Amino acid sequence: MRVFTKEFWFQFASPKTFYPFAGRLIPWFAGAALLLTVVGLYLGFFVAPVDYQQGNSYRIMFIHVPAAWMSMFIYVVMCVYAALGLVLNTRLSDMMAAALAPTGAMFTFLALWTGALWGRPTWGTYWVWDARLTSELILLFLYLGYMALRAAIDDPRRASRASGLLALVGVVNVPIIYFSVQWWNTLHQGASVSLTSAPTMAMTMFTAMLVMTFAFWAYAIAVALYRVRLIILERERHARWVVELAEQER
Amino acid sequence: MKKRSKRLLLVLTLLTGIGVTITLVVTAFNENMLFFYSPSDVKAQKAPTDRSFRIGGLVEEGSLVREDDGLTVHFVVTDNAERVPVVYTGILPDLFREGQGVVAQGRLSPDGRFIADQVLAKHDETYMPPEVAEALERAKAQQSGNAAQVMEVAQ
């Protein structure tokens, strides 16, 4: 079958093939993101029951938890692309890593912000320097540092190598964030959802959270593909197919 | 060795190196990464006496006493092994309850009481509707054969 050949997969590593392919995918993921957000927020705010301890204020969880998951997950994906770029010297991998960073930073900020708003009524404070909160803040700085380093170096190949290494160094922070609540005494509670045990929350709450997670996934993919198309055009502006494309558009 | 495998080796070595370094650092600083001390730590004199620190545990059932000024509260923090009495003047967070987790910042006074200047509520990772919580309470009470408690919850 065609799908199992090396050539089939390698064609997507070429910016020229990937550009129109990404363009076709974007509307589907954008549509899915919109639909899932509406459904997820409806489930979270109207269907899920109140919590026996926190009443309604726990509902910010439906944004906070998926955002925090995405902030870590996007970083790992970004690192995989950065590593591929460093090892195989594929331009597109590096462009994908660059396209993911702003979205990851946005989700990290969202997780920190909603966490502060949730912490004030429940814990009694917006911020504490416990291991979970501090390591998540470091993640935000890693994203910002990655983007700043890229922007600071003019030569794209040197920029991608330097920022790729920075991204790889920072990946150790991800398990630290995830396991911080187990390794140390933190004010932040432990994980309600894990791969090894049943979620410690009501089923409707869990469903709403899962739907919101898929919504954020779809959003992240749509936005990253949109951004990578722009990066491709900018980086490959001297390639013949880009010049031809620009002439067609005119 | 091909250039590509060389670069792969470099990346892998780098990652392993960082991993090992972080593991060592984290292990070495483990003691200092604690956000709070437990009552057992305090009784074992592991907590500092000369500066302020945080103490964490459960608010003991039936230990909460309010003074007449309406702001000063006395309660006992326990980890089901040791107990430390705490005094605090100020507004308590919404989730502050007997039997619930709490983290208090302050100093130990010579008489063994903990004078807190900040009290934070710690909640666990369990979320459920109130009816389920009640049903669980009831089941627990039934199991222990405590009829009085069943009546109390049912009312």
Side-chain angles (χ1 to χ4, degrees):
Chain A
M1 279 231 323
R2 214 170 82 112
V3 185
F4 294 115
T5 61
K6 216 168 154 185
E7 288 70 29
F8 176 81
W9 288 103
F10 274 33
Q11 66 173 344
F12 293 107
S14 130
K16 187 186 168 188
T17 334
F18 192 73
Y19 181 84
F21 177 65
R24 281 199 301 278
L25 288 180
I26 290 171
W28 293 99
F29 282 108
L34 188 71
L35 190 75
L36 288 167
T37 307
V38 171
V39 173
L41 287 182
Y42 178 77
L43 286 177
F45 287 115
F46 298 103
V47 179
V50 295
D51 178 54
Y52 76 121
Q53 288 287 354
Q54 302 183 28
N56 276 317
S57 62
Y58 89 96
R59 289 184 201 275
I60 201 164
M61 171 174 88
F62 298 122
I63 294 172
H64 175 75
V65 178
W69 279 345
M70 288 309 288
S71 72
M72 292 186 280
F73 181 69
I74 290 179
Y75 196 90
V76 173
V77 175
M78 192 178 97
C79 277
V80 170
Y81 276 121
L84 279 178
L86 283 174
V87 174
L88 302 175
N89 250 344
T90 43
R91 278 166 305 163
L92 191 61
S93 319
D94 169 61
M95 294 185 209
M96 276 305 290
L100 283 165
T103 309
M106 192 274 286
F107 278 123
T108 315
F109 181 78
L110 193 64
L112 289 167
W113 191 258
T114 51
L117 293 181
W118 191 9
R120 180 64 211 169
T122 48
W123 298 341
T125 179
Y126 289 109
W127 182 264
V128 287
W129 292 101
D130 85 343
R132 172 53 78 75
L133 278 65
T134 310
S135 53
E136 181 77 6
L137 184 67
I138 292 173
L139 183 71
L140 179 65
F141 293 153
L142 280 171
Y143 275 121
L144 296 180
Y146 174 85
M147 290 191 281
L149 188 62
R150 269 195 102 76
I153 305 175
D154 285 332
D155 176 19
R157 288 183 58 197
R158 286 188 54 215
S160 69
R161 212 169 315 146
S163 58
L165 280 176
L166 176 72
L168 281 179
V169 172
V171 79
V172 286
N173 190 37
V174 173
I176 293 182
I177 299 174
Y178 189 79
F179 292 109
S180 55
V181 288
Q182 296 175 23
W183 290 345
W184 302 295
N185 292 338
T186 54
L187 185 62
H188 196 287
Q189 67 279 12
S192 304
V193 179
S194 75
L195 291 175
T196 47
S197 55
T200 55
M201 60 173 75
M203 211 51 213
T204 37
M205 297 177 185
F206 180 61
T207 314
M209 211 161 86
L210 220 54
V211 173
M212 282 309 287
T213 308
F214 287 130
F216 282 5
W217 264 58
Y219 167 82
I221 294 172
V223 173
L225 289 179
Y226 188 82
R227 207 175 280 126
V228 84
R229 269 165 62 95
L230 298 182
I231 298 175
I232 289 175
L233 287 185
E234 196 185 0
R235 199 78 87 71
E236 308 282 299
R237 60 184 175 277
H238 303 302
R240 194 189 300 149
W241 69 271
V242 177
V243 177
E244 277 168 8
L245 191 78
E247 268 160 15
Q248 270 172 29
E249 295 282 313
R250 201 174 290 154
Chain B
M1 211 190 238
K2 269 204 296 186
K3 240 187 165 170
R4 186 187 289 170
S5 5
K6 245 188 208 163
R7 286 196 300 262
L8 177 65
L9 200 68
L10 182 79
V11 167
L12 288 180
T13 326
L14 195 77
L15 278 180
T16 330
I18 300 158
V20 171
T21 318
I22 297 285
T23 318
L24 290 177
V25 170
V26 163
T27 329
F29 285 98
N30 220 347
E31 292 283 304
N32 298 332
M33 288 290 290
L34 294 183
F35 187 66
F36 55 78
Y37 292 88
S38 70
S40 297
D41 292 338
V42 174
K43 287 283 146 117
Q45 280 163 4
K46 278 190 202 149
T49 47
D50 51 335
R51 59 184 173 86
S52 112
F53 64 95
R54 294 193 195 87
I55 182 171
L58 297 173
V59 182
E60 197 174 71
E61 296 276 0
S63 73
L64 184 68
V65 178
R66 275 174 203 279
E67 271 182 27
D68 289 338
D69 65 356
L71 273 181
T72 307
V73 287
H74 300 254
F75 56 88
V76 173
V77 172
T78 172
D79 55 0
N80 294 327
E82 296 290 348
R83 27 201 321 274
V84 172
V86 177
V87 188
Y88 172 65
T89 307
I91 296 161
L92 291 168
D94 285 0
L95 278 191
F96 182 90
R97 266 155 233 188
E98 289 183 351
Q100 279 280 314
V102 74
V103 175
Q105 162 117 40
R107 323 168 151 266
L108 219 47
S109 75
D111 62 355
R113 291 191 308 171
F114 187 81
I115 315 296
D117 40 49
Q118 187 190 31
V119 171
L120 302 174
K122 184 171 157 58
H123 64 87
D124 64 5
E125 61 275 20
T126 319
Y127 306 91
M128 55 184 152
E131 307 87 62
V132 176
E134 257 170 52
L136 281 180
E137 275 294 304
R138 223 174 295 151
K140 211 166 114 192
Q142 246 156 16
Q143 238 172 16
S144 62
N146 190 340
Q149 209 176 336
V150 177
M151 289 301 290
E152 207 178 87
V153 174
Q155 272 166 9

